[in-house]
Amino acid sequence: MAKITTAQLLKLKQKGEKITALTAYDASFAKLFADAGVEVILIGDSLGMVLQGHSDTLPVTTAEIAYHTRCVRAGAPLAFVIADMPFMSYATVEQAMQNATPLMQAGANMVKLEGGDFLLPTIKALTERGIPVCGHLGLTPQSVHVFGGFKVQGRDEQAADLMVQQAIALQEAGAQLLVVECIPSALAERISKALVIPVIGIGAGKETDGQILVMHDLLGISSGYIPKFSKNFLQETGEIKQAIGKYIQDVKQGQFPGPEHSF
């Protein structure tokens, strides 16, 4: 497999071929995913919940993300690796540059930031200095206390229109990728069609340019509960490699997510 780049991800969108993405936190799973053909690996701050046992993502530190990024890069040297910037690690432009640097040095191809308009100067500053950015709209887990829980976003017309405007603004500021989480399928489709850059969905229906899942949800091993938008592919296949292959196949063929996984 050739090294995956932003240019290749853009070509996949232009060709109408779905992009597959998964979270990973260590070399072994990263290698498994990359060898199976997963294009994008995210070191998510979800590690706070699935690895550390917290109830949300807020306690995760930049140093922890950097550590897991190094592990993932070692296992998947050719994959496109995105590192989440943790809670309050990019409250100012200066903070963002300072904290994005160790993530890129650890092997990330891109950093991911949650939020809308307030991020525009930060995205511009990072990209001008050679740090590619992935945006994240919809349910942004770092804002869970503002939302009052893990709730679907953009349900009413005004909120939906605002999210489309924010997505376009993030792209214009320099974001080269966008994740949309827990939003109605129709809104995700609108955003995907409005943007030139690839849009990766999680709980956002099948009309986005690609899909991402937390690996623990895909394998049915998350403590607590499996979100409505996820699917236990291991239960269906009985073997981890086959579960990953089935996920890739179902995303590429537009069979996942189905209506039962969408809002």
Side-chain angles (χ1 to χ4, degrees):
M1 184 176 81
K3 194 172 180 66
I4 307 291
T5 64
T6 49
Q8 284 171 294
L9 296 177
L10 187 58
K11 275 183 189 168
L12 289 177
K13 169 167 180 147
Q14 290 165 347
K15 288 193 299 184
E17 182 180 336
K18 300 290 186 183
I19 297 163
T20 57
L22 286 171
T23 65
Y25 317 93
D26 65 31
S28 298
F29 274 106
K31 182 178 187 331
L32 182 68
F33 298 163
D35 287 353
V38 172
E39 288 99 5
V40 177
I41 298 177
L42 169 70
I43 297 86
D45 57 5
S46 50
L47 70 87
M49 299 168 82
V50 296
L51 297 190
Q52 298 173 340
H54 299 301
S55 60
D56 54 41
T57 64
L58 274 54
V60 177
T61 67
T62 301
E64 288 166 346
I65 295 282
Y67 167 80
H68 288 283
T69 300
R70 280 194 297 274
C71 295
V72 165
R73 177 52 78 198
L78 301 178
F80 191 83
V81 172
I82 304 174
D84 260 345
M85 293 197 67
F87 177 66
M88 288 302 284
S89 67
Y90 49 97
T92 67
V93 173
E94 290 71 24
Q95 248 189 331
M97 288 191 287
Q98 189 176 354
N99 289 314
T101 301
L103 303 183
M104 297 296 290
Q105 290 172 332
N109 297 109
M110 179 177 270
V111 297
K112 182 165 75 63
L113 316 179
E114 295 181 6
D117 294 343
F118 80 94
L119 281 178
L120 301 180
T122 301
I123 293 171
K124 190 168 186 293
L126 288 172
T127 53
E128 282 175 351
R129 288 159 180 82
I131 299 177
V133 172
C134 174
H136 186 154
L137 292 173
L139 173 60
T140 45
Q142 291 174 15
S143 303
V144 63
H145 295 305
V146 176
F147 295 146
F150 294 95
K151 297 178 178 178
V152 179
Q153 302 297 308
R155 280 198 187 273
D156 65 76
E157 191 177 348
Q158 188 177 358
D161 289 346
L162 177 61
M163 203 178 297
V164 174
Q165 290 166 18
Q166 287 184 330
I168 293 168
L170 292 177
Q171 176 180 266
E172 288 175 349
Q176 291 177 280
L177 210 62
L178 178 67
V179 169
V180 289
E181 179 169 357
C182 281
I183 65 173
S185 302
L187 174 56
E189 184 176 5
R190 269 182 73 191
I191 292 171
S192 303
K193 286 180 175 173
L195 298 190
V196 174
I197 63 173
V199 177
I200 311 289
I202 176 165
K206 68 177 185 179
E207 299 304 327
T208 52
D209 304 306
Q211 299 292 328
I212 185 165
L213 285 180
V214 173
M215 58 167 274
H216 292 69
D217 291 346
L218 178 143
L219 298 174
I221 55 174
S222 295
S223 59
Y225 81 108
I226 303 293
K228 166 191 162 83
F229 55 74
S230 192
K231 180 180 175 181
N232 182 346
F233 283 87
L234 183 58
Q235 187 176 37
E236 190 177 332
T237 59
E239 201 268 332
I240 290 178
K241 278 187 181 176
Q242 289 179 14
I244 306 311
K246 185 77 168 77
Y247 167 69
I248 294 169
Q249 177 186 318
D250 284 3
V251 170
K252 295 284 187 189
Q253 293 178 355
Q255 293 173 342
F256 178 83
E260 68 274 24
H261 309 112
S262 307
F263 302 101

